[in-house]
Amino acid sequence: MSTNKIALVTGGSRGLGKNMALSLARKDIDVVLTYHSKKEEAAAVVAEIESQGRKAAALQLDASNIGSFDEFFDQVKTTLGDTFGANKFDFLVNNAGTGLYAMFAETTEAQFDDMMNIHLKGPYFLTQKALSLLNDGGRIINISSGLARFANPGSSAYASMKGAIEVLTRYQAKELGARGIAVNVVAPGAIETDFGGGRVRDNKEINDQLASATALGRVGLPDDIGPVVAFLCTEDAKWVNAQRLEASGGMFL
Ligand code: NDP
């Protein structure tokens, strides 16, 4: 059996999840990452991790499709055995997600449901179904957003789900503590990724406005976030539990 720690990172093909996967590998943690549509990008992340001397595998997952999770975890089980020589993993990072920019007055029920499925109901049941494969003493990291603390017009549905995942984090920590599992939530500020059509990265006006609202004077980059998640999976963070860790450079203070 493998003695190495293994992380499962959802949405590890691009953006923050990719950086989390690479940052975990730099901490000598092996990684199973998931992708939704970008199989080749995911394969490239696997290759990069392998080139760092760690093991990695990529699996397809629709993190909003709860009905697919049993089959997904069957694949995880097989992959753990085949690629890692393990039957369980240690860290679950609920990162996969999509954005929505719609004013409260105009948000449709379908948009609300999309946000709920990907950012709340998905992680809720994915984590529930992961429990039997997660080692005692493991870690769960949920991903929220600065928008759960401060309000920017147009993010009411998205941010409501992120707020809920912060509450869920505390309940999970309370109930899973008996197994030595700590649960924390990382809340990134605005980061330059493809998220929301890449608007933080590609729209200069938005980028400038967010940078000016940030104490450190710029928007974030994926490498501002991945190492925070990796840190929470190390022994150095062993006593950190049920916490919201905002990594935003100090937005809207
Ligand atoms: P990106 O758009 O760059 O990447 C999204 C990732 O999620 C991709 O790996 C994508 O897979 C995957 N994904 C998308 N839809 C699904 C789905 N239905 N099921 C499974 N996986 C899916 O986003 P970020 O990296 O920026 O965002 C990652 C997380 O960080 C999200 O939870 C987001 O809410 C949060 N966040 C982001 C901020 C930002 O400013 N960027 C700020 C605060 C929080 P594929 O590549 O295969 O399509």
Side-chain angles (χ1 to χ4, degrees), residues 11-17 34-38 61-64 95-98 118-119 143-146 158 162 188-191 193-195 200:
S13 45
R14 287 182 285 138
L16 303 187
T34 77
Y35 61 93
H36 184 223
S37 58
K38 304 250 189 271
L61 170 72
D62 180 350
S64 66
N95 163 77
T98 50
I118 184 94
H119 288 294
I143 302 301
S144 177
S145 166
Y158 170 79
K162 292 302 199 183
I191 316 289
T193 67
D194 296 337
F195 192 77
V200 172

Side-chain angles (χ1 to χ4, degrees), residues 8 46 109 113 135 143:
L8 173 59
V46 168
E109 187 178 352
D113 286 347
N135 275 319
I143 302 301

Side-chain angles (χ1 to χ4, degrees), residues 34-252:
T34 77
Y35 61 93
H36 184 223
S37 58
K38 304 250 189 271
K39 188 176 184 174
E40 283 175 18
E41 277 84 343
V45 180
V46 168
E48 199 171 336
I49 292 173
E50 287 172 343
S51 76
Q52 292 176 21
R54 295 258 55 92
K55 290 180 187 155
L59 295 174
Q60 203 277 335
L61 170 72
D62 180 350
S64 66
N65 181 2
I66 287 90
S68 72
F69 291 173
D70 286 335
E71 197 187 323
F72 170 70
F73 279 113
D74 284 345
Q75 287 176 24
V76 171
K77 224 181 280 183
T78 306
T79 302
L80 285 173
D82 291 354
T83 308
F84 302 87
N87 51 23
K88 292 195 172 189
F89 64 97
D90 302 281
F91 312 118
L92 172 62
V93 185
N94 282 308
N95 163 77
T98 50
L100 168 69
Y101 300 96
M103 297 300 278
F104 170 70
E106 276 110 46
T107 299
T108 65
E109 187 178 352
Q111 289 173 322
F112 182 95
D113 286 347
D114 280 349
M115 288 294 102
M116 182 179 67
N117 287 333
I118 184 94
H119 288 294
L120 179 60
K121 194 171 172 187
Y124 189 105
F125 288 102
L126 194 81
T127 304
Q128 186 189 76
K129 288 180 184 289
L131 289 178
S132 61
L133 287 180
L134 193 63
N135 275 319
D136 288 355
R139 296 284 176 270
I140 297 166
I141 320 288
N142 293 319
I143 302 301
S144 177
S145 166
L147 289 164
R149 175 177 61 81
F150 49 77
N152 240 12
S155 289
S156 63
Y158 170 79
S160 296
M161 305 312 158
K162 292 302 199 183
I165 203 89
E166 294 188 4
V167 174
L168 176 62
T169 297
R170 291 193 291 275
Y171 276 83
Q172 290 172 327
K174 186 83 175 173
E175 295 191 19
L176 299 176
R179 287 183 52 190
I181 296 172
V183 190
N184 292 291
V185 57
V186 172
I191 316 289
E192 291 189 6
T193 67
D194 296 337
F195 192 77
R199 70 211 292 264
V200 172
R201 180 189 56 215
D202 302 335
N203 183 319
K204 186 168 168 11
E205 203 178 315
I206 291 175
N207 188 295
D208 286 349
Q209 185 246 325
L210 292 169
S212 70
T214 304
L216 291 179
R218 62 168 175 82
V219 300
L221 298 170
D223 201 45
D224 294 318
I225 304 302
V228 177
V229 169
F231 160 70
L232 288 171
C233 296
T234 64
E235 270 299 290
D236 286 345
K238 62 180 175 299
W239 206 234
V240 181
N241 193 16
Q243 297 305 300
R244 174 188 194 267
L245 182 42
E246 184 172 310
S248 70
M251 284 186 77
F252 296 111

